[in-house]
Amino acid sequence: QSALTQPASVSGSPGQSITISCTGSYNEIGKYNLVSWYQQHPGEVPKVIIQEVSKRPSGVSERFSGSKSGYTASLTISGLQAEDEADYYCCSYAGSSSLVFGGGTKVTVL
Amino acid sequence: QVQVEQSGAEVKKPGASVKVSCKAAGHTFNNHYVHWVRHTPGQGPEWMGIIDPGGVSITYAPTFEGRVTMTRDTSTTTVYMELSSLMYEDTAVYYCTTVGVWGRPPDYWGQGTLVTVSS
């Protein structure tokens, strides 16, 4: 299956809100509510920040929220902070036990 | 949260094989599915395959079918991923990732193992 499509980069000023899109097709995002989002700082391991489209794991800031419409999942970061500068990846279940990832989005805090 | 430790970095020649291990500290690991994911800098992560808690049901990504073998030893809470016929393009960080719920993408990523293919 093809990778999910994410914008290469998104930027915002401190305090602003930004949204990262993750576009796929009916076969993964459209069919299943099994989308996760990961945050990866340089030199670190990816950390899950959203599970099952919109669920925040324990300990993850409420400033992170997820949603889905049709074949596109979205991650919104509200009240942008310097520490949010990182790479973000989406991942969806794609049927037959498989997963598909997005290409990643670099978030820059201006 | 399942804590795992992966084996160390490897340097291999083209055509060789590499076997990466992923060991967990506790037996809770034996209730988790393990996905192997590789990541090349500048690209998105790439799903390689999944092995179920019992090590019986295994699914490989078509891209790696025929070259990858995933196994599991529940007695030692260790999962292995072996990739054969290595090519330069296989240079990447390989992650052992775990999840306790079937179908959901991984909840936890190991520290990663850098595999470098170089002559």
Side-chain angles (χ1 to χ4, degrees):
Chain A
Q1 59 273 26
S2 301
L4 305 175
T5 301
Q6 297 181 235
S9 63
V10 173
S11 61
S13 299
Q16 285 186 329
S17 293
I18 61 170
T19 296
I20 303 169
S21 60
C22 170
T23 302
S25 69
Y26 170 76
N27 293 323
E28 355 76 8
I29 293 179
K31 195 172 181 180
Y32 305 103
N33 289 321
L34 291 168
V35 178
S36 291
W37 287 90
Y38 302 93
Q39 176 192 61
Q40 185 177 30
H41 289 107
E44 296 185 5
V45 172
K47 169 192 168 187
V48 65
I49 55 174
I50 295 290
Q51 300 166 316
E52 297 178 27
V53 175
S54 60
K55 297 178 181 178
R56 261 190 321 273
S58 173
V60 173
S61 172
E62 293 180 355
R63 298 186 299 103
F64 294 96
S65 62
S67 62
K68 186 184 91 167
S69 178
Y71 305 159
T72 297
S74 298
L75 172 72
T76 297
I77 309 175
S78 57
L80 199 62
Q81 299 180 1
E83 67 204 49
D84 300 331
E85 191 159 290
D87 292 326
Y88 292 81
Y89 300 97
C90 60
C91 178
S92 176
Y93 179 67
S96 301
S97 299
S98 71
L99 302 176
V100 61
F101 285 88
T105 298
K106 182 176 182 59
V107 168
T108 301
V109 181
L110 301 171
Chain B
Q1 180 168 311
V2 177
Q3 301 284 345
V4 301
E5 176 132 3
Q6 297 184 221
S7 49
E10 303 261 14
V11 179
K12 295 291 183 180
K13 294 189 182 303
S17 297
V18 67
K19 192 170 187 176
V20 180
S21 67
C22 169
K23 179 171 174 57
H27 287 273
T28 303
F29 180 68
N30 288 341
N31 297 325
H32 283 68
Y33 297 85
V34 172
H35 294 270
W36 286 92
V37 177
R38 78 175 183 184
H39 197 186
T40 304
Q43 300 181 22
E46 185 176 17
W47 180 74
M48 299 180 68
I50 179 176
I51 184 165
D52 78 341
V56 175
S57 178
I58 305 168
T59 302
Y60 301 130
T63 307
F64 299 97
E65 189 79 57
R67 279 209 303 145
V68 69
T69 303
M70 296 176 189
T71 54
R72 188 164 197 158
D73 185 340
T74 55
S75 66
T76 61
T77 62
T78 305
V79 174
Y80 301 91
M81 186 282 298
E82 184 170 21
L83 188 62
S84 62
S85 302
L86 289 170
M87 301 173 283
Y88 295 116
E89 309 87 87
D90 292 319
T91 295
V93 177
Y94 289 77
Y95 289 99
C96 164
T97 72
T98 67
V99 64
V101 177
W102 181 87
R104 189 165 79 191
D107 294 334
Y108 178 77
W109 296 53
Q111 86 273 22
T113 297
L114 174 62
V115 175
T116 303
V117 182
S118 173
S119 56

